[in-house]
Coordinates of all heavy atoms in Angstrom, one line a residue:
A733 N 168.0 105.0 94.6 CA 168.9 105.5 93.6 C 168.8 107.0 93.4 O 167.8 107.6 93.7 CB 168.4 104.8 92.3
Q734 N 169.9 107.6 92.9 CA 170.0 109.0 92.7 C 170.4 109.3 91.2 O 171.4 109.8 90.9 CB 171.0 109.6 93.6 CG 170.7 109.6 95.1 CD 169.5 110.5 95.4 OE1 169.3 111.5 94.9 NE2 168.6 110.0 96.3
L735 N 169.5 108.8 90.3 CA 169.9 108.8 88.9 C 169.8 110.2 88.3 O 170.3 110.5 87.2 CB 168.9 107.9 88.1 CG 168.9 106.5 88.5 CD1 167.8 105.7 87.7 CD2 170.3 105.9 88.2
Y736 N 169.2 111.1 89.0 CA 168.9 112.5 88.5 C 169.9 113.5 89.0 O 169.7 114.7 89.0 CB 167.5 113.0 88.9 CG 167.1 112.2 90.2 CD1 167.5 112.7 91.4 CD2 166.2 111.1 90.1 CE1 167.1 111.9 92.6 CE2 165.8 110.4 91.2 CZ 166.2 110.9 92.5 OH 165.8 110.2 93.6
G737 N 171.1 113.0 89.4 CA 172.2 114.0 89.7 C 172.1 114.5 91.1 O 171.8 113.8 92.1
N738 N 172.4 115.8 91.3 CA 172.5 116.4 92.6 C 171.2 117.0 93.1 O 171.2 117.7 94.2 CB 173.5 117.5 92.6 CG 174.9 117.0 92.2 OD1 175.3 115.9 92.7 ND2 175.7 117.8 91.4
V739 N 170.1 116.7 92.5 CA 168.8 117.2 93.0 C 168.4 116.5 94.2 O 168.3 115.2 94.2 CB 167.7 117.1 91.9 CG1 166.4 117.6 92.4 CG2 168.1 117.7 90.6
E740 N 168.3 117.1 95.3 CA 168.1 116.5 96.6 C 166.7 115.8 96.7 O 166.6 114.6 97.1 CB 168.3 117.4 97.8 CG 168.3 116.7 99.1 CD 168.8 117.7 100.2 OE1 169.5 118.7 99.9 OE2 168.4 117.4 101.4
K741 N 165.7 116.5 96.4 CA 164.3 116.0 96.5 C 163.6 116.3 95.2 O 162.8 117.3 95.1 CB 163.5 116.5 97.7 CG 164.1 116.1 99.0 CD 163.2 116.6 100.1 CE 163.7 116.0 101.5 NZ 162.7 116.5 102.6
P742 N 163.8 115.5 94.2 CA 163.2 115.8 92.9 C 161.6 115.6 93.0 O 161.1 114.8 93.7 CB 163.8 114.8 91.9 CG 164.1 113.6 92.8 CD 164.5 114.3 94.1
I743 N 161.0 116.4 92.2 CA 159.5 116.2 92.0 C 159.3 115.0 91.2 O 159.9 114.8 90.2 CB 158.9 117.4 91.3 CG1 159.1 118.7 92.1 CG2 157.4 117.2 91.1 CD1 158.8 120.0 91.4
G744 N 158.3 114.1 91.7 CA 158.2 112.8 91.1 C 156.7 112.4 91.0 O 155.8 113.2 91.1
L745 N 156.5 111.1 90.8 CA 155.2 110.5 90.7 C 154.3 110.8 91.8 O 153.1 111.2 91.6 CB 155.3 109.0 90.4 CG 154.1 108.2 90.2 CD1 153.4 108.7 88.9 CD2 154.4 106.7 90.1
S746 N 154.8 110.6 93.0 CA 153.9 110.7 94.2 C 153.5 112.3 94.4 O 152.3 112.5 94.8 CB 154.6 110.3 95.5 OG 155.8 111.0 95.7
D747 N 154.4 113.2 94.0 CA 154.0 114.6 94.1 C 152.9 114.9 93.1 O 152.0 115.7 93.4 CB 155.2 115.4 93.9 CG 156.4 115.1 94.8 OD1 156.2 115.3 96.0 OD2 157.4 114.5 94.3
Y748 N 153.1 114.3 91.8 CA 152.2 114.6 90.8 C 150.8 114.1 91.2 O 149.7 114.8 90.9 CB 152.7 114.0 89.5 CG 151.7 114.1 88.3 CD1 151.5 115.2 87.6 CD2 150.8 112.9 88.0 CE1 150.7 115.3 86.5 CE2 150.0 113.0 87.0 CZ 149.9 114.2 86.2 OH 149.0 114.2 85.2
I749 N 150.7 112.9 91.7 CA 149.4 112.3 92.1 C 148.8 112.9 93.3 O 147.6 113.2 93.4 CB 149.6 110.8 92.2 CG1 149.9 110.2 90.8 CG2 148.2 110.2 92.8 CD1 150.2 108.7 90.9
G750 N 149.6 113.1 94.3 CA 149.2 113.5 95.6 C 148.9 115.0 95.8 O 147.9 115.4 96.5
K751 N 149.5 115.8 95.1 CA 149.4 117.3 95.2 C 148.6 118.0 94.1 O 148.0 119.1 94.3 CB 150.7 118.0 95.3 CG 151.5 117.6 96.6 CD 152.9 118.2 96.6 CE 153.7 117.8 97.8 NZ 155.0 118.5 97.9
D752 N 148.5 117.4 93.0 CA 147.8 117.9 91.8 C 148.1 119.3 91.4 O 147.4 120.1 91.0 CB 146.2 117.8 92.2 CG 145.4 118.0 90.9 OD1 145.9 117.6 89.9 OD2 144.2 118.4 91.1
D753 N 149.5 119.6 91.6 CA 150.0 121.0 91.3 C 151.0 120.9 90.1 O 151.5 122.0 89.7 CB 150.7 121.6 92.5 CG 149.7 121.9 93.6 OD1 148.5 122.1 93.3 OD2 150.1 121.9 94.8
Y754 N 151.3 119.8 89.5 CA 152.4 119.7 88.6 C 151.9 119.1 87.2 O 151.0 118.4 87.2 CB 153.5 118.8 89.2 CG 154.0 119.2 90.5 CD1 153.6 118.6 91.7 CD2 154.9 120.3 90.6 CE1 154.1 118.9 92.9 CE2 155.4 120.6 91.8 CZ 155.0 120.0 93.0 OH 155.5 120.4 94.2
Q755 N 152.7 119.5 86.2 CA 152.5 119.0 84.9 C 153.4 117.7 84.7 O 154.4 117.7 85.4 CB 152.8 120.0 83.8 CG 152.0 121.3 83.9 CD 150.5 121.0 83.6 OE1 150.2 120.1 82.7 NE2 149.6 121.5 84.3
V756 N 153.1 116.9 83.8 CA 153.9 115.7 83.6 C 155.3 116.0 83.2 O 156.3 115.4 83.7 CB 153.3 114.7 82.5 CG1 154.2 113.6 82.2 CG2 151.9 114.2 83.0
A757 N 155.5 117.1 82.5 CA 156.8 117.5 82.0 C 157.7 117.8 83.2 O 159.0 117.7 83.1 CB 156.7 118.7 81.1
T758 N 157.2 118.3 84.3 CA 158.0 118.7 85.4 C 158.5 117.5 86.3 O 159.4 117.7 87.1 CB 157.2 119.6 86.4 OG1 156.1 118.9 86.9 CG2 156.8 120.9 85.6
I759 N 158.0 116.3 86.0 CA 158.4 115.1 86.8 C 159.3 114.2 86.0 O 159.8 113.2 86.6 CB 157.2 114.4 87.4 CG1 156.3 113.7 86.3 CG2 156.3 115.3 88.3 CD1 155.3 112.8 86.8
I760 N 159.5 114.5 84.8 CA 160.5 113.7 83.9 C 161.8 114.4 84.0 O 162.0 115.6 83.6 CB 160.0 113.7 82.5 CG1 158.6 113.0 82.4 CG2 160.9 112.9 81.6 CD1 158.0 112.9 81.0
H761 N 162.8 113.6 84.6 CA 164.1 114.2 84.7 C 165.2 113.5 84.0 O 165.1 112.3 83.7 CB 164.5 114.0 86.3 CG 163.6 114.7 87.2 ND1 163.7 116.0 87.6 CD2 162.4 114.3 87.8 CE1 162.7 116.3 88.5 NE2 161.9 115.3 88.6
P762 N 166.2 114.2 83.5 CA 167.3 113.6 82.8 C 168.2 112.8 83.8 O 168.1 113.1 85.0 CB 168.1 114.8 82.2 CG 167.8 115.9 83.1 CD 166.3 115.7 83.6
T763 N 168.8 111.8 83.4 CA 169.7 111.1 84.3 C 171.2 111.2 83.8 O 171.5 111.9 82.7 CB 169.4 109.6 84.2 OG1 169.8 109.0 83.0 CG2 167.9 109.3 84.5
G764 N 172.1 110.7 84.5 CA 173.5 110.7 84.1 C 173.8 109.7 83.0 O 175.0 109.5 82.6
I765 N 172.7 109.0 82.5 CA 172.9 108.0 81.4 C 172.3 108.6 80.1 O 171.1 108.9 80.1 CB 172.3 106.7 81.8 CG1 172.8 106.1 83.1 CG2 172.4 105.7 80.7 CD1 172.0 105.1 83.7
P766 N 173.1 108.8 79.1 CA 172.5 109.4 77.8 C 171.3 108.6 77.3 O 171.3 107.4 77.4 CB 173.7 109.2 76.9 CG 174.9 109.2 77.7 CD 174.5 108.5 79.0
R767 N 170.3 109.4 76.9 CA 169.1 108.9 76.3 C 168.1 108.2 77.3 O 167.1 107.7 77.0 CB 169.3 108.0 75.2 CG 170.1 108.6 74.0 CD 170.5 107.6 72.9 NE 171.4 106.7 73.4 CZ 172.8 106.9 73.5 NH1 173.2 108.0 73.2 NH2 173.5 105.9 74.0
M768 N 168.5 108.3 78.6 CA 167.6 107.7 79.7 C 167.0 108.8 80.5 O 167.7 109.7 80.9 CB 168.4 106.7 80.5 CG 167.6 106.1 81.6 SD 168.6 105.0 82.6 CE 167.5 104.7 84.1
R769 N 165.7 108.7 80.7 CA 165.0 109.6 81.6 C 164.3 108.9 82.7 O 164.2 107.7 82.6 CB 163.9 110.4 80.8 CG 164.4 111.3 79.6 CD 165.2 112.5 80.3 NE 165.6 113.5 79.3 CZ 166.9 113.5 78.8 NH1 167.8 112.6 79.1 NH2 167.2 114.5 77.9
V770 N 164.0 109.6 83.8 CA 163.4 108.9 84.9 C 162.3 109.8 85.5 O 162.4 111.0 85.5 CB 164.5 108.6 86.0 CG1 165.1 109.9 86.5 CG2 163.8 107.8 87.1
I771 N 161.2 109.1 85.9 CA 160.1 109.8 86.8 C 160.4 109.2 88.1 O 160.1 108.0 88.5 CB 158.8 109.5 86.3 CG1 158.5 110.1 84.9 CG2 157.7 110.0 87.3 CD1 157.1 109.9 84.3
P772 N 161.1 109.9 89.1 CA 161.4 109.3 90.4 C 160.1 109.2 91.2 O 159.0 109.8 90.8 CB 162.3 110.3 91.0 CG 162.0 111.6 90.3 CD 161.6 111.2 88.9
F773 N 160.1 108.4 92.2 CA 158.9 108.3 93.1 C 158.5 109.6 93.6 O 157.3 109.9 93.8 CB 159.1 107.2 94.2 CG 157.8 107.0 95.0 CD1 156.7 106.3 94.4 CD2 157.7 107.7 96.2 CE1 155.6 106.2 95.2 CE2 156.5 107.5 96.9 CZ 155.5 106.8 96.4
G774 N 159.4 110.5 94.0 CA 159.1 111.8 94.6 C 159.2 111.8 96.1 O 159.5 110.8 96.8
S775 N 158.8 112.9 96.7 CA 159.0 113.1 98.1 C 157.7 113.2 98.9 O 157.7 113.2 100.1 CB 159.7 114.5 98.3 OG 159.0 115.5 97.7

């Protein structure tokens, strides 16, 4: 799924856990559906 628009490789859950370089706020993305947010699996 590409719920987060045109972002090719969005930062997600696996990046947050595997790299330890991100804040939670950076992995929560808006979607094209109002009031719905997504934390993608990541790259």
Side-chain angles (χ1 to χ4, degrees):
Q734 297 289 324
L735 300 174
Y736 24 79
N738 296 322
V739 181
E740 189 170 336
K741 289 186 177 181
I743 300 168
L745 180 64
S746 61
D747 304 291
Y748 174 80
I749 293 174
K751 297 180 181 179
D752 197 23
D753 292 333
Y754 303 104
Q755 299 295 320
V756 173
T758 62
I759 65 173
I760 300 178
H761 301 270
T763 70
I765 301 168
R767 297 173 297 278
M768 177 179 167
R769 296 291 187 261
V770 62
I771 296 180
F773 181 77
S775 57

